[in-house]
Amino acid sequence: QVRLVESGGGKVQAGNSLRLSCTTSGRTFSTYPMGWFRQAPGKEREFVAHINWRGDNTYVADSVKGRFTISRDNAKNTVYLQMNTLRPEDTAVYFCASYSSGDYYRPTSYINWGQGTQVTVSS
């Protein structure tokens, strides 16, 4: 019954920044670890970032470490993905998801998924 909705995607030039937001309608949102994944055309869904329920532990994929930051505001039932210094290879549909169990970097460890938001980075 938890519904997740991503927003903040768009088309930007390389080097610019975007902040994605993921909001939920569920009152138990704050109890879920959350993750961000992305999927580019012709590629499998890949891990981007993960944050625990309290927000004091995060994991970020090597490909985006130093550029992307995951955070959350449980009072607002929102998880953020701050994306800086965007590159064309960051172009993908970005999904947020609520974690259930298992390895945090595996999509199968997540139960609820948002609809995705498109991020397009041009040269």
Side-chain angles (χ1 to χ4, degrees):
Q1 69 277 13
V2 177
R3 184 169 180 265
L4 281 61
V5 179
E6 303 94 335
S7 63
K11 187 175 182 179
V12 299
Q13 291 183 317
N16 288 327
S17 301
L18 283 174
R19 188 182 73 166
L20 306 183
S21 298
C22 174
T23 61
T24 181
S25 62
R27 66 181 182 89
T28 60
F29 176 85
S30 63
T31 68
Y32 294 134
M34 298 289 293
W36 285 97
F37 290 78
R38 66 186 183 184
Q39 188 165 20
K43 292 188 175 182
E44 294 183 345
R45 192 163 299 186
E46 68 171 338
F47 170 75
V48 176
H50 176 94
I51 188 168
N52 73 332
W53 66 270
R54 180 175 282 129
D56 59 349
N57 280 282
T58 62
Y59 300 91
V60 182
D62 289 341
S63 60
V64 302
K65 191 173 184 178
R67 299 187 298 119
F68 290 11
T69 303
I70 186 172
S71 62
R72 69 191 300 163
D73 186 340
N74 289 340
K76 298 183 181 296
N77 292 327
T78 302
V79 175
Y80 303 98
L81 184 68
Q82 179 66 45
M83 305 184 295
N84 297 328
T85 319
L86 283 162
R87 304 167 180 169
E89 54 262 42
D90 295 320
T91 296
V93 177
Y94 284 72
F95 300 89
C96 69
S98 59
Y99 173 87
S100 179
S101 62
D103 296 326
Y104 67 86
Y105 51 85
R106 299 182 185 274
T108 54
S109 299
Y110 297 76
I111 296 298
N112 297 299
W113 293 81
Q115 84 288 352
T117 185
Q118 177 70 47
V119 173
T120 302
V121 184
S122 61
S123 300

